Amino acid sequence: MLYATAWQTVGPFLHIGLDGLNTDTIALPGVAGEPLTIEGRLVDGEGRPVPDGLIELWQANSHGRYAHPEDTRDLPLEPNFSGFARRPTDAEGAFRFRTVRPGRVSDPTGALQAPHILVAVFARGILRRMVTRIYFPGEAANAEDPVLARVPAERRSTLIATPTGQAGVLCFNVVLQGSHLGQGETVFFEI
């Protein structure tokens, strides 16, 4: 008789063999688009920091093109734009990334999506990565985004970064588990 192998949790060993992939910079200075810093914290349902997590960001450039070989659209692609960054969280669960505001991209049906950044979260006790998105405050296209429209209105705020008061700096906290029936928990997507 064969038995299924048990799942292994992700972490807290995320640094083993992966440190060379860590960077907090998606776009170097001089890349077209509005420079942004995204900062935040990875916390559990009680608001405690998750100090051994890993946050990955994936995004299109300001023209709406991904720095990926499968994106062959005739849109500008700049050599100093990687489209990807990953950072382990620090002792307070904090992370910080430097990038540019992404352009709009279409979904598989051709509908334009609002500018957004894809976020993958890895941490202890998580069997598979958790995926969410960062949307931008005051973005008119948020109202017509096909993915955001599928999120209950009362939970959409968990996907929208908030201004910090510093020019070009937005805050996006990731709450792994909400207390009081999911209030405050970041919306995650099945992929």
Side-chain angles (χ1 to χ4, degrees), residues 18 20-27 54-60 66-67 81-87 97-99 117-118 120 122 129:
L18 298 176
L21 298 174
N22 293 340
T23 181
D24 65 356
T25 304
I26 295 173
L54 183 77
I55 305 292
E56 284 185 352
L57 299 187
W58 297 83
Q59 72 170 85
Y66 289 102
F81 176 83
S82 68
F84 168 81
R86 76 173 348 155
R87 292 297 305 164
F97 294 94
R98 293 178 295 157
T99 188
I117 298 173
L118 299 168
F122 303 86
R129 70 182 176 158

Side-chain angles (χ1 to χ4, degrees), residues 99-119:
T99 188
V100 293
R101 185 183 183 102
R104 297 181 76 178
V105 296
S106 58
D107 72 8
T109 69
L112 277 179
Q113 300 178 68
H116 65 277
I117 298 173
L118 299 168
V119 181

Side-chain angles (χ1 to χ4, degrees), residues 20-178:
L21 298 174
N22 293 340
T23 181
D24 65 356
T25 304
I26 295 173
L28 293 172
V31 169
E34 176 188 341
L36 286 177
T37 297
I38 305 286
E39 60 185 23
R41 292 180 65 223
L42 177 62
V43 298
D44 66 16
E46 300 301 318
R48 292 180 301 237
V50 178
D52 54 0
L54 183 77
I55 305 292
E56 284 185 352
L57 299 187
W58 297 83
Q59 72 170 85
N61 66 15
S62 64
H63 307 288
R65 181 163 177 199
Y66 289 102
H68 191 278
E70 290 183 20
D71 189 345
T72 58
R73 294 173 297 146
D74 189 22
L75 295 169
L77 184 60
E78 298 172 84
N80 290 329
F81 176 83
S82 68
F84 168 81
R86 76 173 348 155
R87 292 297 305 164
T89 57
D90 69 13
E92 296 302 314
F95 56 87
R96 184 180 180 105
F97 294 94
R98 293 178 295 157
T99 188
V100 293
R101 185 183 183 102
R104 297 181 76 178
V105 296
S106 58
D107 72 8
T109 69
L112 277 179
Q113 300 178 68
H116 65 277
I117 298 173
L118 299 168
V119 181
V121 178
F122 303 86
R124 63 184 140 84
I126 297 175
L127 300 178
R128 295 185 299 170
R129 70 182 176 158
M130 299 176 77
V131 177
T132 190
R133 287 179 168 204
I134 301 172
Y135 287 92
F136 298 93
E139 172 59 56
N142 287 349
E144 61 190 51
D145 184 83
V147 175
L148 197 54
R150 299 182 82 175
V151 175
E154 67 274 9
R155 304 233 18 240
R156 289 181 193 152
S157 65
T158 70
L159 299 176
I160 300 174
T162 56
T164 64
Q166 294 176 275
V169 181
L170 295 174
C171 180
F172 185 77
N173 294 318
V174 179
V175 180
L176 291 177
Q177 197 176 38

